[in-house]
Amino acid sequence: MAYAALSSLMHTLQQLLQSKSPLICTGDTSIQQHVESLYQDLCDLQVFLENTTMEVKDIEDVKVLEKRIKDVVYKAEDRIDSSLGSIILLDNGDDDRVRACKAFNEELQQVEKEVCFLKKEVMVIKFNKHIGFSKLPESATSFPSSRQSTTEEKTVVGMKDDLNTILNCINAQTKELIAISVVGMGGIGKTTLARKVFDDSMIRSQFDKHAWVTISEDYNKRQMLLDVVSSITGINQEIMSNDKLMETVYKGLKGRRFLIVIDDLWSTEAWNLMRRIFPNDYNKSRIILTTRLKNVANHASSSDFPPHDMSFLSLDDSWNLFTERLFKKDPCPPQLEVTGKHIILQCQGLPLSIVVISGLIGNIERTHDNWKKIEENLNSFFGTASEQCQAILSLSYNYLPQYLKACFLYIGSFPEDMEIRVSKLISSWIAEQFIKARSNTRLEVVAEEYLQELTDRSLILVGGRRANGRIKTCKIHDLLRQMCIREAQIENVVHFTNNYVSDGINDHRRVIIPYLIQDYFRDHPEHRNGKITTRSLIFLGRQSYVVTGIYYWPYSISDFKLLKVLDAHAIGFDFSRIIPQLVHLRYVDARVNDPSSLAKLFNLQTIIIYSQKKNVQLPTEIWTMSEIKHVDITDVDMPNPPLGEQPLFLNNLHTLAVKSSAVVLKILRSFPNLNKLKINDVRSTEWNAFLDCLLVLEGLVTLNIQAAASLNSPFFLSKDIFLPNLAKLSLNSTFFPWEDMAVLAKLPNLEVLKADNAFWGTDWKLDEDVVFPELKYLGVHHGNLEIWEATSDNFPMLEELNLSWLHFLEEIPESIGEIMTLRSIEIKDCNSAVITSAEQIRENQEIYGNYEFQVRFVIY
């Protein structure tokens, strides 16, 4: 990927241009001149790509040109990084280091000449107009608005009959457990239909238990059982055996009426396993399953309820779906209607094609000429609905702005149906240099805008949202993922391996490894022969990797000298002896028993490490690593900063997760741009000092406090906390008196409050002047609370209320039901009287016309 390759190399050169960079050879001004010249040429190439668009006839020519740029830049980056690695590993003043600097200078000049020649090639092509290049419409290149994506809204245009068929099966008088199969090709709307039924508040109220499980084509028996148990119990049970997991599900459902959705079922074997764990108590329990395979649907369906075949949308329904996605409630402009209907006709009634093409059209200027170009592009493709869908998906990818392409392909490399944590995805994008810096805007904010734009284009799906409405997880449709895998491997952006991989990964730029493949590392000695250019190794899964025997295959990772991203948390292997050789690392998530091994990793941006040794700390060199933005070391200590020196990286640190200590409390107030703080094991003797630190951390948006208080030594909020930007606050084991809630109410922008054993006392009474003006989510978990007195005026903006393990609480205040913004209440293992009061609130909400209001119960 040419654009991403340019970004990565440009970032390396930016580091070299820093006045205090430890990577540069001191005393050689010519190096800086060559770096500056090379950087400018790369900037020119990137601007060229940003201003490039194409007609369908130009696609292959443009791809050839992009490949040429990418190949040259990849090789240039490899040569520069190899030379830099030699310099970093040598000490200042060493004769070998002087020779390494000279070799680096020579390499740099050669790369400069090659890139300069490449730039001339590109400019000749541009000015000869060999390919149709033009500036993209402003609406296609500008950053997306802050509007919330509607991708996750389950539009059921044209599915009314399908919906009624499924509802009739759900409400049938048959008392025995029945399986309702929905069958159809990928992209036809099976999951959308099932989700519409599953989320319907009237349907949910009929069942005691609800669970949604996605199986996928390459299903894993254990992961499937873990997902079912987690959906039903809300608890992660990874330590259980498979038999125990099956028993837990069976007992959890026994005697209760349940609704289970099994999405994306591909085999009768998977169904046979699932069916065994669902008891048939003749209480009208129901299972909905979706599948692309008719034989699986026939095998699973109950005899009196044959599979429901999803049909393609009519032209009228297709047009209605298109206009609803594109114009909401407004009509399509008359001058665009004829062309628009010709475009929709090419979608052949497949909802996914319609949604994706509307996402593409929604991001270009709405003119007749632009729509006509889309129509002409689609007219050049012919084939079945599935083949036409693939053509539409490819077209949407080709029309993506350059800055989004690598981000999109990266998402497609994750396992099928996996919900991807957005926080980790964004950190990976940044480490890979996919995110282009913008003045006065944090990279994380820009990355969220990229993600939002991809959802607005209907290329990725929102899996779940945080309490404040921001995207928490995302995923990608199977058909889009297949396209991503093809494009990513062609472009050498990222390579997705599996158990049966047979080719080496030496030449793959980024590698994602989802399964146990220690035999792969052991049986491919070519890793130790020749040059390995892999830049990212990412291990996914839980308990999927076994490091046993005489041959410890992770040691072969030390041969990946150019590695920039190492995500090996799942392995559980100690990387202390490997890390020092990977001097180009920007992102590390792994077990590191000896953190001093990070001493020469001057490129680090993200540190997520854990240690099985006690009383270990990061190296003192951490204070000179100016690139560091995220540090998560909750069982590793922070070192004291060097005396008399202002630490370099403090101004860039955005996220810190650390355990409390005298050193942490001393340095905490020096992090002016800290955005997110998690601090563990705060003791009562440290509490006041910690509150003093908060007074200067005015930029905090998220704060998580895990205290070490007890009933005998509770904490107090004896002073006001001035955190004007704080939006999310999580408190654990602080045991504040309920009166201290009044202090938290003074936080002007607090939207999310999660309290777990955070307050103690039987009575919580909120005076009328205690108002949480922006609070949208309130979670209260554990404690001895019995009486809660509050009015709707105390929480005027509340949307979600979550109460857990409050065994003594008598009821939810009735006036909570008068909050007009309230959308849901979730009760988990509370007093039965709390459930009764929640039901009463639901009835009141329906009286107010809020039929979408939901009450969810989880009972153990």
Side-chain angles (χ1 to χ4, degrees), residues 59 62 72 110 115 206 357 373 409 426 614 653 666:
I59 288 175
V62 171
V72 170
Q110 185 61 35
V115 171
Q206 300 175 32
I357 204 69
K373 290 177 182 177
L409 296 184
I426 284 176
K614 294 183 178 180
L653 189 65
K666 181 174 67 174

Side-chain angles (χ1 to χ4, degrees), residues 7-70:
S7 296
S8 183
L9 181 52
M10 286 166 65
H11 178 80
T12 298
L13 299 179
Q14 281 178 317
Q15 286 182 282
L16 292 176
L17 292 172
Q18 292 177 1
S19 60
K20 295 184 179 180
S21 173
L23 309 180
I24 202 71
C25 299
T26 57
D28 193 338
T29 57
S30 66
I31 287 183
Q32 182 168 349
Q33 294 172 358
H34 293 303
V35 169
E36 289 175 349
S37 174
L38 176 57
Y39 183 82
Q40 186 56 55
D41 285 343
L42 295 173
C43 283
D44 292 341
L45 287 171
Q46 194 170 58
V47 170
F48 169 77
L49 289 175
E50 289 174 340
N51 294 340
T52 301
T53 187
M54 53 195 160
E55 308 300 332
V56 69
K57 63 183 174 62
D58 300 321
I59 288 175
E60 292 307 316
D61 289 334
V62 171
K63 286 188 173 182
V64 169
L65 180 59
E66 287 187 348
K67 184 178 186 303
R68 168 81 174 125
I69 296 173
K70 177 196 67 180

Side-chain angles (χ1 to χ4, degrees), residues 190-196 198-199 210-214 227-228 231 259-263 290 475:
K190 302 182 298 296
T191 301
T192 298
L193 178 63
R195 178 61 72 179
K196 183 68 175 178
F198 186 76
D199 287 343
H210 318 83
W212 182 290
V213 184
T214 302
D227 289 343
V228 176
S231 296
L259 173 64
I260 309 291
V261 173
I262 303 174
D263 189 34
T290 72
K475 53 186 177 180

Side-chain angles (χ1 to χ4, degrees), residues 622-802:
I622 199 77
W623 299 107
T624 64
M625 297 179 183
S626 60
E627 291 289 306
I628 289 183
K629 295 178 176 65
H630 307 280
V631 175
D632 186 342
I633 51 165
T634 50
D635 57 358
V636 175
D637 293 328
M638 287 289 288
N640 273 304
L643 293 176
E645 293 186 26
Q646 175 65 24
L648 294 178
F649 89 95
L650 298 184
N651 288 334
N652 293 322
L653 189 65
H654 296 146
T655 304
L656 177 63
V658 68
K659 64 179 178 181
S660 182
S661 68
V663 172
V664 167
L665 295 177
K666 181 174 67 174
I667 63 176
L668 200 54
R669 61 179 62 243
S670 302
F671 301 157
N673 293 318
L674 198 63
N675 182 265
K676 183 177 181 179
L677 172 63
K678 178 181 179 181
I679 185 164
N680 290 354
D681 300 329
V682 183
R683 296 181 291 273
S684 57
T685 54
E686 301 169 333
W687 181 244
N688 287 333
F690 175 66
L691 288 181
D692 289 338
C693 292
L694 291 183
L695 295 176
V696 297
L697 297 179
E698 296 185 7
L700 273 184
V701 174
T702 301
L703 175 60
N704 186 321
I705 301 172
Q706 305 277 331
S710 66
L711 292 176
N712 296 325
S713 57
F715 290 0
F716 296 92
L717 289 171
S718 56
K719 60 182 74 174
D720 289 348
I721 304 174
F722 183 67
L723 294 171
N725 296 298
L726 193 68
K728 180 178 179 180
L729 176 62
S730 299
L731 301 169
N732 188 295
S733 300
T734 51
F735 297 103
F736 294 131
W738 283 107
E739 292 77 10
D740 283 357
M741 268 287 191
V743 177
L744 301 183
K746 296 178 182 179
L747 296 170
N749 290 298
L750 187 65
E751 296 180 351
V752 177
L753 176 57
K754 296 181 178 182
D756 191 345
N757 266 332
F759 295 89
W760 195 258
T762 58
D763 293 15
W764 178 21
K765 181 179 180 180
L766 286 166
D767 296 332
E768 61 182 17
D769 61 338
V770 178
V771 178
F772 292 82
E774 299 295 332
L775 195 69
K776 295 179 174 62
Y777 177 95
L778 175 62
V780 181
H781 315 299
H782 295 101
N784 64 338
L785 181 63
E786 297 177 11
I787 300 173
W788 178 17
E789 296 181 23
T791 70
S792 58
D793 293 335
N794 298 125
F795 306 100
M797 303 298 291
L798 192 67
E799 296 177 3
E800 296 181 64
L801 176 64
N802 190 311

